[in-house]
Amino acid sequence: MTSTWNEISVAIKENRHELKLQGPTISGYLEANGVDSRLYQLTNLNYLDFSNTCLTELSDDIGSLVNLTNLVLDHNKLTRLPETISNLKKLKCFDVSNNQLESIPESISGLTAIHTLNCSMNKIEIFPSIEKMTSVHILILSNNSLTSLPEGIYSEELSHLSQIQASDNQIEEIQSEISDLPHLNLLDLSNNKLSSVPAELSACPKLKELNLKGNKFKDRRFGKLVEQCPTKSVLDYLANVLKKEQEASGKKDKKQKDKKKKGKKANKDVEEVVKDMINILHFQEDEGYTVQVTPAVLSVRQYVLCCIVRQLYLKKSNMIYKHFITLQTKLHDEICQKRQAATIATHDLKSIKKPVVYDAKSPHALMITPLFKQKEVSGEKLVTDLNREAEEQRKEKKRNTVSGIHKYLDLLKDKVQYPCLVDGEGHVISFPPITNSDKTKITKDTTDLFIEVTSHLNLDTCKKVMDELLYRMLDMGLGTPKPEEEGAEGGAVDTETQNEASKRVQKTLIVEQVQILDTEGNMKAVYPSRADLPNEAIKIIRNK
């Protein structure tokens, strides 16, 4: 039972709009009985400073403080943030610096009114997309473990973004689109792992403060400039490089280029260069993969679609594998509606033996080695253990909601049979919507991917989810080698060659059809069919 905090009692009595909870006294309260639950009833609060304490976790109930415009949580011991942080639609300043966060919930992208976001001095490896944070002015991500800037940071929609502070991370590259940020005046990427920066950085119209010190640049002259000279000298050097690159590649400014691109032939040539491509391999009767659907699963979770993605390149960069895993989590929350509509599962194809069967088994008969586990357990025991963990989590965290895999357990409530995908050796490789088998888990070395999407709603839902997943994989360049790998072995590729290569590279994804059959061998569906992947911006090649 939580104690009564005098500070909160006063805030309630005086109907305060501001509250500060700081220092040793508050830490004493926390160590004794945890947070006074009345805090989350102060719905009129505009400003909450809960800092310099031993606070380790924030309750999901923080989402009830919908009038907060300033939330300060610095110098605590937070290890996670609740998804309900996205409920704070009026939040303008959010400071969660100097904590122990390893990740940030995807829902933070819903804070569209945010002006200043400070997540520095944590252990964050991947940051969610900030593309929808169109009001953000100041972004502080220094002293983390990031290997790239957040997705969406180069969006033209972030027209107010003026400061990016991301020093002391492991960031490896900046994209040329950074010049699309019209009001960027401060960029601090010191002490990272940059080996080069795009010359387009010099085209940022308002950039006045640029700190790139502590990086090991391949261009030694540029490296000396960075360490010894002011921002103007660095930008002048980049501007000169940009001019030479444009002259060497025959580039002109946008207006001149548009005037020269006249006539249908020119437009067609440009379109061919721009369009990315999905290469569809038709089903092969002798060698193709099929999934047979049994009658038992029709009353449980009847819809399934599968396909194979060939020649993946998950070693494209140090973080591409993690980004792909994060993508699946993101799609589960978005288009899959937190797995209520559909569930995605990905498998290393070489670990799957044909033929594959989509079946339903009783909880005690379904045997699976869950993802990241070594021991095989029954579906009954797995769900029982997860329910127990969920209940312990509720009691320990003193909240009604749970996180991770536990939040999907309600989807199996009252089910007398569980859906599962079984390979030719009888191994259960998937137990939707809960987990995959560790036997078929993907790694950075995976080159051929077997993808399944299941749903209890309809087949169209499966198609939409699968389409979106493949579009995102194509956009990530998962099937495209790095341009520099096409250069001479052991030698650096010069700037002009790199620019030309980047122009020529077309993102491609090779997708092989998988047929869905009934128990008599009749085809129920095939993906991708001619009606699937409808996108005029992508070139679809169908190979028989």
Side-chain angles (χ1 to χ4, degrees), residues 364-399:
H364 70 272
L366 190 157
M367 301 297 295
I368 187 172
T369 304
L371 199 60
F372 306 120
K373 303 291 184 181
Q374 296 181 349
K375 185 178 179 181
E376 188 179 57
V377 296
S378 69
E380 183 177 43
K381 177 171 173 51
L382 177 60
V383 172
T384 299
D385 289 346
L386 289 172
N387 274 312
R388 186 183 67 252
E389 290 174 9
E391 187 59 32
E392 291 172 353
Q393 191 179 102
R394 289 188 185 96
K395 291 179 179 178
E396 180 184 353
K397 308 302 181 184
K398 298 180 175 66
R399 52 191 172 90

Side-chain angles (χ1 to χ4, degrees), residues 321 324-325 328 332 339 343-348 352 366-377 382 386 405 408 419-421 427-443 449-454:
Y321 172 76
F324 179 52
I325 300 300
Q328 295 176 62
H332 272 141
R339 303 199 193 189
T343 304
I344 301 167
T346 55
H347 310 270
D348 193 321
I352 298 177
L366 190 157
M367 301 297 295
I368 187 172
T369 304
L371 199 60
F372 306 120
K373 303 291 184 181
Q374 296 181 349
K375 185 178 179 181
E376 188 179 57
V377 296
L382 177 60
L386 289 172
I405 195 174
Y408 305 123
C420 58
L421 222 66
H427 297 297
V428 174
I429 63 173
S430 177
F431 173 18
I434 300 301
T435 186
N436 296 0
S437 169
D438 192 71
K439 175 181 179 291
T440 59
K441 71 181 177 185
I442 67 171
T443 68
L449 192 70
F450 186 92
I451 305 175
E452 64 168 275
V453 175
T454 60

